[in-house]
Amino acid sequence: MLKYLLKRFFWMIPLIIGISLISFFIMHLAPGDITTSEASFNPKASEESRQKLRELYSLDKPVIVQYGLWVKRMATLDFGTSFASHQRPVFWETKDKDGNITLGMIQEALPITLLINVLSLILIIAVALPLGVISALKQNQLADRGITLFVFIGFAIPGFWLALILMYWTGVQHAWLPISGLESMGHEHLTWFYRTIDTLKHLVLPVFISGLTGLAGISLFVRNGMLEVLHQDYITTARAKGLKENRVIYGHALRNALLPLITIFGLSIPGLIGGSVIAESIFAIPGMGKLFYDAVLMRDFPVIMGILTIGSVLTLIGNLLADLSYAWADPRVRRGVMQ
Amino acid sequence: MNKVLHNPLALIGFVIIAGILFMALIAPLIAPYDPDAINVKAILLSPSANHLMGTDGLGRDVFTRMLYGSRISLMVGFVAVGIATAIGIILGAIAGFYRGWVDTVIMRVVDVMLSIPTFFLILAVIAFLTPSIWNIMIVIGLTSWMGVTRLVRAEFLSLRNREFVLAAQALGAKDARLIFTHLLPNSLTPIIVSSILGIASAVLVESGLSFLGLGVQAPQASWGNILTDGKEYIQFAWWLSLFPGLAILITVLGYNLLGDGLRDAYNPRTSQH
């Protein structure tokens, strides 16, 4: 197992190099040099900040040296400071000489996005699992068709459109739910209990919307996984030896059908992080998606590069965890790994 | 195809897509107005016989703009997925056919691309370039070829050593002939299914980009930017938000139903015995 862990860990190194190459290449996509394009797009950029930009990326040096220097800074997790928001550190807090701590932008935004994604994943599992199983057991019957249609509509609804409608309906017309940000006015004067309730209320709409979009993939996956497993010989064997149908389905079939879900969750991380852009910018939630969107509009290069890199590394870690849990859950994989 | 037509959901999907394609094709013939004609005397009119879907804040006819917008959505879907599928087939075929280090390199590149959050990547690229319909199609295409690559590679790996391929090879068929006349035609169904599902995602991504203001730029109409314009008026002009959203929903639903129906019909392991 340890050998597998190490091997799997070292696999990540070429991937990280590849990610850094792609991120670096994107920064150089801008016509001319990024300082001039920044100047033309962002009138607020002063000559001073442009000079800083040139220094930060060593734009006067050859490309290969630039890349080397950039990688060197990445390796120490130094993503520089933001241009748009008063030189705040992009990634993690810094202390100035008076001991004042300035929080990093990603440091603040990441937990919020993670919280929303974890909550919507829980919602997805709670709803998609039963739907998928029912769909498979009633294959091609009315229930199956109805569920398939429902999850597909959930997938096809443009999230921003639904968000807009729900915001208008629950927030403006009826004022049931808050529609923007994570905290109401006066949040800091509440006790921790009411503060939690307040934040949860703010999370209802965003979590619902990102959950609904993700429902289709998982529920269809469970359905098709169940159907495949139900056609396997060992299911026929289980039935032939007289096991109750419930036992066959929940004890034998479901357990095997669910295993690959672990991998699917790992693979869905980049989609979830990417999908946070629209929900967060509509609901004005200060997470990674909104941070990224604002950075894109301001052409705040250090923030863009920082989020691209951190987002990708998170995905790699997620995939690693998924693979490890798969190996842990499935003895066949575990033994294959050991050999 | 017969099997697909017996699946009611797939049939609905097929009808939806065919209908939208037809409307987009004949848009100039049936559009009652000029899509960009501003009419200050007809601002924010609600739906009526004259303006089936009302008018927008500049007095443009929404039905006409929806018709022309459908052309944009369809074009983005087809071109982006065309690019992705072409790249995917080429790389997947090379990886699956030649295996060895070429395969390893290609699959590592796929892994790298899969670990970068795609929507971030698209946004970043669009931010550095100028948002235009061509840039959007190319960027969506260049960031969504990984699935097809994996698929084609897997098909090729499983077909590579089958008798009919080995027989053709023994008869002296060249690599290109093996790939294009033996392996590729036998891998076509999953490729078509994944392309159809890919079009659905591309349509959603384009409308999302347009909604964020980084997509198709005014005055060119797209469903996403009609909706973006409409959100300013949501309190007193519901039609500006309702119709484009519904159009996106129905189109994406159509592609998904069709794609999923096809997959179900041709997958022997999940289809009913």
Side-chain angles (χ1 to χ4, degrees):
Chain A
M1 196 67 191
L2 186 69
K3 212 173 133 197
Y4 172 71
L5 249 171
L6 283 176
K7 205 174 132 192
R8 197 57 190 67
F9 190 75
F10 283 114
W11 255 136
M12 283 168 62
I13 293 172
L15 294 186
I16 290 175
I17 294 174
I19 290 167
S20 73
L21 272 172
I22 289 176
S23 312
F24 188 76
F25 167 75
I26 285 171
M27 197 177 61
H28 285 260
L29 269 182
D33 114 17
I34 55 172
T35 56
T36 57
S37 76
E38 198 206 24
S40 61
F41 285 121
N42 183 356
K44 281 195 226 156
S46 61
E47 180 51 43
E48 187 198 1
S49 67
R50 262 178 272 160
Q51 188 52 42
K52 275 214 175 89
L53 193 61
R54 265 178 231 127
E55 274 166 27
L56 184 62
Y57 293 116
S58 318
L59 291 173
D60 46 341
K61 301 206 170 74
V63 177
I64 183 84
V65 179
Q66 286 178 33
Y67 176 71
L69 288 171
W70 187 68
V71 168
K72 204 171 133 194
R73 288 197 300 111
M74 292 296 111
T76 55
L77 291 177
D78 173 14
F79 292 92
T81 53
S82 155
F83 293 141
S85 49
H86 310 293
Q87 302 292 324
R88 281 185 60 190
V90 171
F91 180 56
W92 208 256
E93 61 192 29
T94 49
K95 230 187 226 173
D96 65 7
K97 43 190 180 303
D98 306 326
N100 298 323
I101 291 173
T102 321
L103 288 182
M105 296 172 94
I106 293 180
Q107 182 189 9
E108 274 191 336
L110 188 58
I112 296 172
T113 300
L114 285 182
L115 175 68
I116 294 180
N117 282 327
V118 167
L119 289 178
S120 35
L121 265 182
I122 294 174
L123 179 73
I124 291 173
I125 297 173
V127 180
L129 262 186
L131 287 186
V133 173
I134 296 172
S135 226
L137 295 180
K138 310 265 179 204
Q139 191 190 5
N140 293 344
Q141 294 171 25
L142 196 62
D144 178 26
R145 305 266 192 238
I147 289 172
T148 308
L149 190 63
F150 168 73
V151 296
F152 270 140
I153 290 178
F155 176 78
I157 288 184
F160 52 88
W161 182 63
L162 185 67
L164 212 59
I165 293 175
L166 288 180
M167 254 168 103
Y168 183 61
W169 184 53
T170 66
V172 181
Q173 275 192 325
H174 296 282
W176 289 329
L177 289 169
I179 54 171
S180 118
L182 278 180
E183 298 171 355
S184 309
M185 279 195 359
H187 179 88
E188 61 278 3
H189 302 304
L190 300 169
T191 59
W192 69 267
F193 178 75
Y194 287 102
R195 271 208 298 264
T196 316
I197 299 277
D198 183 48
T199 303
L200 283 179
K201 271 167 114 179
H202 282 86
L203 286 173
V204 171
L205 288 180
V207 168
F208 173 72
I209 283 166
S210 53
L212 189 66
T213 323
L215 210 58
I218 304 295
S219 132
L220 286 176
F221 189 83
V222 173
R223 173 187 183 268
N224 293 340
M226 276 297 274
L227 286 178
E228 275 194 29
V229 171
L230 284 173
H231 289 156
Q232 300 280 338
D233 290 340
Y234 61 81
I235 295 296
T236 318
T237 313
R239 284 199 177 121
K241 72 182 187 193
L243 282 186
K244 294 234 167 59
E245 190 61 18
N246 271 342
R247 188 84 207 279
V248 174
I249 286 163
Y250 298 105
H252 288 66
L254 188 60
R255 285 177 67 170
N256 284 292
L258 289 188
L259 275 176
L261 260 189
I262 300 174
T263 313
I264 296 289
F265 283 135
L267 286 175
S268 64
I269 296 171
L272 285 171
I273 298 180
S276 61
V277 176
I278 289 178
E280 288 179 5
S281 47
I282 291 180
F283 292 108
I285 291 171
M288 293 280 274
K290 178 148 193 328
L291 185 61
F292 191 77
Y293 178 59
D294 293 343
V296 161
L297 290 186
M298 298 296 291
R299 294 188 161 65
D300 194 345
F301 298 105
V303 179
I304 297 177
M305 304 293 289
I307 295 184
L308 263 186
T309 315
I310 295 287
S312 313
V313 171
L314 277 182
T315 308
L316 285 182
I317 295 173
N319 284 339
L320 178 69
L321 289 179
D323 279 3
L324 294 179
S325 348
Y326 202 120
W328 172 74
D330 189 339
R332 286 166 299 186
V333 176
R334 194 163 56 227
R335 266 179 226 123
V337 161
M338 301 286 218
Q339 279 156 14
Chain B
M1 203 62 205
N2 239 342
K3 269 188 188 166
V4 177
L5 296 182
H6 281 294
N7 178 343
L9 290 182
L11 189 64
I12 295 174
F14 180 76
V15 171
I16 291 174
I17 298 308
I20 290 171
L21 264 177
F22 183 69
M23 300 268 274
L25 275 179
I26 61 164
L29 300 177
I30 52 174
Y33 297 90
D34 175 347
D36 302 329
I38 293 169
N39 181 356
V40 285
K41 287 183 197 144
I43 287 172
L44 295 177
L45 297 179
S46 51
S48 66
N50 279 336
H51 297 281
L52 284 177
M53 297 182 178
T55 60
D56 66 7
L58 295 171
R60 295 173 295 194
D61 181 54
V62 176
F63 179 62
T64 307
R65 289 182 70 73
M66 292 289 297
L67 279 175
Y68 280 91
S70 70
R71 301 184 134 195
I72 299 290
S73 289
L74 288 172
M75 189 160 83
V76 170
F78 281 114
V79 175
V81 170
I83 294 172
T85 309
I87 299 175
I89 287 179
I90 294 171
L91 292 182
I94 293 174
F97 190 85
Y98 292 105
R99 287 173 284 190
W101 66 269
V102 194
D103 181 24
T104 312
V105 170
I106 291 176
M107 293 330 281
R108 284 294 84 73
V109 176
V110 167
D111 286 346
V112 168
M113 287 296 291
L114 278 177
S115 35
I116 304 180
T118 315
F119 201 68
F120 280 6
L121 195 60
I122 294 175
L123 270 183
V125 176
I126 296 284
F128 288 106
L129 303 169
T130 39
S132 78
I133 177 153
W134 286 103
N135 281 341
I136 289 166
M137 294 191 294
I138 293 170
V139 172
I140 297 179
L142 290 180
T143 49
S144 52
W145 48 272
M146 295 80 77
V148 193
T149 307
R150 283 192 162 174
L151 203 83
V152 174
R153 170 180 178 269
E155 288 291 319
F156 271 45
L157 284 179
S158 80
L159 291 171
R160 183 68 180 83
N161 289 322
R162 294 269 284 276
E163 282 84 355
F164 71 94
V165 180
L166 295 177
Q169 197 170 21
L171 287 172
K174 296 222 165 59
D175 288 356
R177 189 178 163 79
L178 283 177
I179 290 175
F180 288 109
T181 64
H182 295 283
L183 291 164
L184 200 52
N186 282 294
S187 328
L188 224 46
T189 312
I191 296 176
I192 292 172
V193 170
S194 99
S195 304
I196 294 175
L197 298 176
I199 295 177
S201 308
V203 170
L204 273 180
V205 170
E206 184 276 323
S207 65
L209 284 173
S210 292
F211 183 79
L212 291 173
L214 293 167
V216 176
Q217 300 293 302
Q220 198 167 30
S222 93
W223 291 342
N225 68 23
I226 298 175
L227 189 52
T228 312
D229 294 345
K231 81 177 172 200
E232 312 296 333
Y233 304 106
I234 188 164
Q235 302 195 30
F236 35 87
W238 52 268
W239 55 92
L240 281 177
S241 305
L242 180 74
F243 294 119
L246 270 185
I248 298 167
L249 196 166
I250 292 172
T251 309
V252 175
L253 184 65
Y255 283 120
N256 275 318
L257 290 178
L258 183 62
D260 188 65
L262 267 176
R263 176 171 52 196
D264 236 19
Y266 288 101
N267 186 350
R269 280 177 302 181
T270 55
S271 64
Q272 225 165 19
H273 293 295

Short mmCIF file of all heavy atoms in Angstrom, two decimals, chain A residues 289-313:
data_model
loop_
_atom_site.label_atom_id
_atom_site.label_comp_id
_atom_site.label_asym_id
_atom_site.label_seq_id
_atom_site.Cartn_x
_atom_site.Cartn_y
_atom_site.Cartn_z
N GLY A 289 -15.09 31.23 -7.14
CA GLY A 289 -15.66 31.55 -8.44
C GLY A 289 -15.80 33.05 -8.64
O GLY A 289 -15.41 33.60 -9.67
N LYS A 290 -16.33 33.72 -7.64
CA LYS A 290 -16.51 35.17 -7.75
C LYS A 290 -15.17 35.87 -7.80
O LYS A 290 -14.95 36.79 -8.58
CB LYS A 290 -17.34 35.68 -6.57
CG LYS A 290 -17.53 37.18 -6.58
CD LYS A 290 -18.85 37.58 -5.99
CE LYS A 290 -19.21 39.03 -6.26
NZ LYS A 290 -18.07 39.92 -6.34
N LEU A 291 -14.25 35.39 -6.95
CA LEU A 291 -12.90 35.95 -6.94
C LEU A 291 -12.28 35.86 -8.33
O LEU A 291 -11.70 36.82 -8.84
CB LEU A 291 -12.06 35.19 -5.92
CG LEU A 291 -10.64 35.69 -5.65
CD1 LEU A 291 -10.69 37.10 -5.11
CD2 LEU A 291 -9.92 34.77 -4.68
N PHE A 292 -12.45 34.70 -8.95
CA PHE A 292 -11.88 34.48 -10.27
C PHE A 292 -12.53 35.38 -11.31
O PHE A 292 -11.86 36.00 -12.13
CB PHE A 292 -12.04 33.01 -10.67
CG PHE A 292 -11.25 32.65 -11.89
CD1 PHE A 292 -9.89 32.46 -11.82
CD2 PHE A 292 -11.87 32.50 -13.11
CE1 PHE A 292 -9.16 32.13 -12.94
CE2 PHE A 292 -11.15 32.17 -14.24
CZ PHE A 292 -9.79 31.99 -14.15
N TYR A 293 -13.85 35.45 -11.26
CA TYR A 293 -14.58 36.26 -12.22
C TYR A 293 -14.17 37.73 -12.11
O TYR A 293 -13.88 38.39 -13.11
CB TYR A 293 -16.08 36.09 -11.99
CG TYR A 293 -16.96 36.92 -12.90
CD1 TYR A 293 -16.89 36.77 -14.28
CD2 TYR A 293 -17.86 37.84 -12.38
CE1 TYR A 293 -17.70 37.53 -15.11
CE2 TYR A 293 -18.67 38.60 -13.20
CZ TYR A 293 -18.58 38.44 -14.57
OH TYR A 293 -19.36 39.19 -15.40
N ASP A 294 -14.13 38.23 -10.89
CA ASP A 294 -13.71 39.62 -10.70
C ASP A 294 -12.29 39.84 -11.20
O ASP A 294 -11.98 40.85 -11.83
CB ASP A 294 -13.79 40.01 -9.21
CG ASP A 294 -15.23 40.05 -8.71
OD1 ASP A 294 -16.13 40.09 -9.57
OD2 ASP A 294 -15.44 40.01 -7.49
N ALA A 295 -11.42 38.84 -10.92
CA ALA A 295 -10.03 38.97 -11.36
C ALA A 295 -9.96 39.01 -12.89
O ALA A 295 -9.18 39.77 -13.47
CB ALA A 295 -9.20 37.80 -10.83
N VAL A 296 -10.81 38.18 -13.54
CA VAL A 296 -10.83 38.16 -15.00
C VAL A 296 -11.27 39.52 -15.54
O VAL A 296 -10.66 40.06 -16.47
CB VAL A 296 -11.75 37.03 -15.50
CG1 VAL A 296 -12.15 37.26 -16.94
CG2 VAL A 296 -11.06 35.69 -15.36
N LEU A 297 -12.30 40.09 -14.95
CA LEU A 297 -12.79 41.38 -15.43
C LEU A 297 -11.75 42.48 -15.21
O LEU A 297 -11.61 43.38 -16.04
CB LEU A 297 -14.09 41.76 -14.71
CG LEU A 297 -15.31 40.92 -15.09
CD1 LEU A 297 -16.55 41.48 -14.43
CD2 LEU A 297 -15.50 40.86 -16.59
N MET A 298 -11.02 42.41 -14.09
CA MET A 298 -10.01 43.43 -13.80
C MET A 298 -8.67 43.10 -14.44
O MET A 298 -7.72 43.85 -14.32
CB MET A 298 -9.80 43.55 -12.28
CG MET A 298 -10.99 43.98 -11.47
SD MET A 298 -11.53 45.61 -11.87
CE MET A 298 -10.17 46.58 -11.21
N ARG A 299 -8.60 41.95 -15.06
CA ARG A 299 -7.32 41.44 -15.57
C ARG A 299 -6.24 41.47 -14.49
O ARG A 299 -5.15 41.98 -14.68
CB ARG A 299 -6.91 42.21 -16.81
CG ARG A 299 -7.92 41.90 -17.90
CD ARG A 299 -7.61 42.40 -19.22
NE ARG A 299 -8.37 41.69 -20.23
CZ ARG A 299 -9.69 41.72 -20.34
NH1 ARG A 299 -10.42 42.35 -19.47
NH2 ARG A 299 -10.28 41.07 -21.30
N ASP A 300 -6.62 40.92 -13.36
CA ASP A 300 -5.73 40.85 -12.20
C ASP A 300 -4.91 39.56 -12.32
O ASP A 300 -5.27 38.52 -11.77
CB ASP A 300 -6.61 40.85 -10.93
CG ASP A 300 -5.82 41.13 -9.68
OD1 ASP A 300 -4.58 41.04 -9.74
OD2 ASP A 300 -6.45 41.45 -8.66
N PHE A 301 -3.81 39.64 -13.07
CA PHE A 301 -3.08 38.43 -13.46
C PHE A 301 -2.64 37.54 -12.30
O PHE A 301 -2.83 36.33 -12.35
CB PHE A 301 -1.88 38.78 -14.32
CG PHE A 301 -2.28 39.43 -15.59
CD1 PHE A 301 -2.13 40.79 -15.77
CD2 PHE A 301 -2.87 38.68 -16.61
CE1 PHE A 301 -2.54 41.39 -16.95
CE2 PHE A 301 -3.27 39.29 -17.77
CZ PHE A 301 -3.11 40.63 -17.95
N PRO A 302 -2.05 38.10 -11.23
CA PRO A 302 -1.59 37.19 -10.17
C PRO A 302 -2.74 36.37 -9.59
O PRO A 302 -2.56 35.19 -9.28
CB PRO A 302 -1.03 38.15 -9.11
CG PRO A 302 -0.73 39.40 -9.84
CD PRO A 302 -1.71 39.50 -10.95
N VAL A 303 -3.93 36.98 -9.46
CA VAL A 303 -5.06 36.23 -8.90
C VAL A 303 -5.51 35.15 -9.88
O VAL A 303 -5.76 34.01 -9.48
CB VAL A 303 -6.23 37.19 -8.57
CG1 VAL A 303 -7.42 36.43 -8.02
CG2 VAL A 303 -5.78 38.24 -7.56
N ILE A 304 -5.61 35.49 -11.17
CA ILE A 304 -6.02 34.50 -12.17
C ILE A 304 -5.09 33.30 -12.14
O ILE A 304 -5.52 32.14 -12.05
CB ILE A 304 -6.03 35.13 -13.57
CG1 ILE A 304 -7.07 36.25 -13.64
CG2 ILE A 304 -6.32 34.08 -14.64
CD1 ILE A 304 -7.10 36.97 -14.97
N MET A 305 -3.79 33.59 -12.20
CA MET A 305 -2.81 32.50 -12.22
C MET A 305 -2.86 31.70 -10.94
O MET A 305 -2.78 30.47 -10.96
CB MET A 305 -1.39 33.07 -12.38
CG MET A 305 -1.21 33.94 -13.59
SD MET A 305 -1.36 32.98 -15.07
CE MET A 305 0.14 32.06 -14.96
N GLY A 306 -3.00 32.40 -9.81
CA GLY A 306 -3.04 31.72 -8.52
C GLY A 306 -4.22 30.76 -8.44
O GLY A 306 -4.06 29.60 -8.05
N ILE A 307 -5.41 31.21 -8.85
CA ILE A 307 -6.59 30.36 -8.74
C ILE A 307 -6.51 29.19 -9.71
O ILE A 307 -6.87 28.06 -9.37
CB ILE A 307 -7.87 31.18 -8.96
CG1 ILE A 307 -8.01 32.20 -7.84
CG2 ILE A 307 -9.10 30.28 -8.99
CD1 ILE A 307 -9.27 33.00 -7.89
N LEU A 308 -6.04 29.45 -10.94
CA LEU A 308 -5.89 28.35 -11.89
C LEU A 308 -4.99 27.26 -11.30
O LEU A 308 -5.33 26.07 -11.34
CB LEU A 308 -5.25 28.85 -13.19
CG LEU A 308 -6.14 29.20 -14.36
CD1 LEU A 308 -5.30 29.52 -15.58
CD2 LEU A 308 -7.10 28.07 -14.69
N THR A 309 -3.87 27.68 -10.73
CA THR A 309 -2.93 26.69 -10.20
C THR A 309 -3.50 25.98 -8.98
O THR A 309 -3.49 24.75 -8.91
CB THR A 309 -1.60 27.38 -9.83
OG1 THR A 309 -1.25 28.27 -10.89
CG2 THR A 309 -0.51 26.38 -9.63
N ILE A 310 -4.02 26.76 -8.03
CA ILE A 310 -4.55 26.14 -6.80
C ILE A 310 -5.73 25.23 -7.13
O ILE A 310 -5.84 24.11 -6.62
CB ILE A 310 -5.01 27.23 -5.80
CG1 ILE A 310 -3.81 28.05 -5.32
CG2 ILE A 310 -5.73 26.61 -4.61
CD1 ILE A 310 -2.92 27.33 -4.38
N GLY A 311 -6.63 25.69 -8.05
CA GLY A 311 -7.77 24.86 -8.45
C GLY A 311 -7.31 23.53 -9.03
O GLY A 311 -7.87 22.47 -8.72
N SER A 312 -6.28 23.57 -9.86
CA SER A 312 -5.80 22.33 -10.48
C SER A 312 -5.16 21.41 -9.46
O SER A 312 -5.37 20.19 -9.49
CB SER A 312 -4.79 22.66 -11.58
OG SER A 312 -5.27 23.68 -12.38
N VAL A 313 -4.36 21.99 -8.57
CA VAL A 313 -3.71 21.15 -7.56
C VAL A 313 -4.76 20.50 -6.66
O VAL A 313 -4.66 19.31 -6.32
CB VAL A 313 -2.70 21.98 -6.74
CG1 VAL A 313 -2.18 21.18 -5.56
CG2 VAL A 313 -1.54 22.40 -7.63
#
